[in-house]
Amino acid sequence: MKNTKKITALVLALVMAFSFSLTVFAQSSGSRTEQVLSLVSQAGKFKASVTSFSYNSGAVTNNIRFDVFDDLKADKILCDFTDKNIKVLYGDSSISVVFSRFFSYLTFSATDITIAPVIGGVKLFQKLFKSFVDDPTLSAFALTTSTEVRNGKTCTLEHFKGLVVGTSGSFYYDESGRLCEILLSDNAGEYIGFTISEFTTVFDNSVFSIPVYYFNISLFWKLLQIILPMLGVTIPFITL
């Protein structure tokens, strides 16, 4: 009888200890978004394969696909439109449009031209996303979790609302636990959303370099901007 009581007590003690360890693990594991942001914060950069985007409350939407490389420390962004052989590079207060097929590129001052809506959207994304990366433990945000169907997939939504500022973010994870969509907004009404097929913090920073053998055709482009209007020809807007 005594042996039975001892065994029962031992089993109960093990169950309690095991339950306690599970509770501690659950509390310390954090959300999926916290884990993603911690990796980005440590690396100082990220790459995302974008399958569609929208911003300004959905006023601008596009299903164009591109890879975005973002170095948060150096403030450099590259949008690689691989299917069009065009790259758009932000860096050093300038914008370069690289035409890989023709081994050439154009360079503009960042204040001189708006290349395309997607570029403004990427800059907006960096600004809002950085507010989360700067607080990887998300201590300044309140978390709510739910399940939603997005693009035909059942996803887990982790929504974060700023406790002081109005910045908020919705991070969606598919059934495999992979980040598949990000929606960010602030209290000024700025809004940006990306659907993504891949997200990583590993890439070579050489992607921000233009090959030395590429031709700089910026002067030629400036001449066209002067000559074509004189001939009554409208300069085509660079769209991606």
Side-chain angles (χ1 to χ4, degrees):
M1 184 70 174
K2 290 182 179 181
N3 289 336
T4 302
K5 289 182 178 180
K6 288 181 179 180
I7 293 173
T8 302
L10 178 60
V11 170
L12 289 174
L14 289 172
V15 170
M16 291 177 65
F18 181 67
S19 299
F20 177 75
S21 66
L22 284 179
T23 302
V24 172
F25 176 78
Q27 291 175 344
S28 63
S29 63
S31 66
R32 291 174 177 173
T33 304
E34 182 180 333
Q35 296 170 22
V36 170
L37 295 177
S38 295
L39 291 174
V40 175
S41 181
Q42 292 171 18
K45 61 184 182 179
F46 68 88
K47 172 198 172 186
S49 295
V50 178
T51 55
S52 68
F53 74 92
S54 61
Y55 75 102
N56 287 349
S57 299
V60 178
T61 59
N62 201 314
N63 291 325
I64 192 169
R65 293 173 175 265
F66 61 96
D67 291 335
V68 56
F69 301 79
D70 196 335
D71 187 328
L72 297 166
K73 295 179 180 179
D75 195 25
K76 291 183 177 180
I77 304 174
L78 171 68
C79 293
D80 186 354
F81 301 85
T82 53
D83 61 333
K84 297 179 180 293
N85 292 306
I86 295 176
K87 299 179 181 179
V88 182
L89 172 65
Y90 273 95
D92 300 323
S93 301
S94 65
I95 303 171
S96 295
V97 182
V98 183
F99 305 97
S100 303
R101 181 179 299 171
F102 303 106
F103 306 101
S104 60
Y105 65 96
L106 297 165
T107 298
F108 307 92
S109 167
T111 60
D112 286 347
I113 189 171
T114 300
I115 299 301
V118 63
I119 304 305
V122 170
K123 289 291 287 184
L124 174 60
F125 178 84
Q126 184 192 48
K127 182 186 77 171
L128 294 178
F129 190 62
K130 195 172 186 300
S131 65
F132 288 89
V133 175
D134 288 343
D135 181 19
T137 61
L138 299 166
S139 59
F141 297 87
L143 167 64
T144 56
T145 305
S146 60
T147 300
E148 286 189 17
V149 176
R150 306 288 293 184
N151 301 312
K153 298 179 181 179
T154 301
C155 300
T156 298
L157 164 62
E158 293 184 353
H159 178 74
F160 296 86
K161 176 68 176 177
L163 298 174
V164 178
V165 297
T167 302
S168 64
S170 296
F171 298 81
Y172 293 87
Y173 300 85
D174 63 19
E175 295 175 342
S176 299
R178 292 178 296 186
L179 182 63
C180 60
E181 186 174 358
I182 303 176
L183 302 176
L184 305 175
S185 63
D186 65 10
N187 55 1
E190 299 278 16
Y191 164 94
I192 179 72
F194 281 162
T195 60
I196 58 181
S197 60
E198 179 187 348
F199 190 94
T200 180
T201 60
V202 179
F203 66 85
D204 192 326
N205 275 37
S206 63
V207 297
F208 298 114
S209 300
I210 300 175
V212 294
Y213 56 86
Y214 274 35
F215 296 101
N216 186 344
I217 59 174
S218 301
L219 179 59
F220 175 70
W221 178 257
K222 290 178 181 178
L223 290 173
L224 284 179
Q225 288 179 304
I226 296 173
I227 296 173
L228 291 181
M230 295 173 60
L231 299 175
V233 179
T234 302
I235 299 175
F237 182 70
I238 299 176
T239 57
L240 299 171

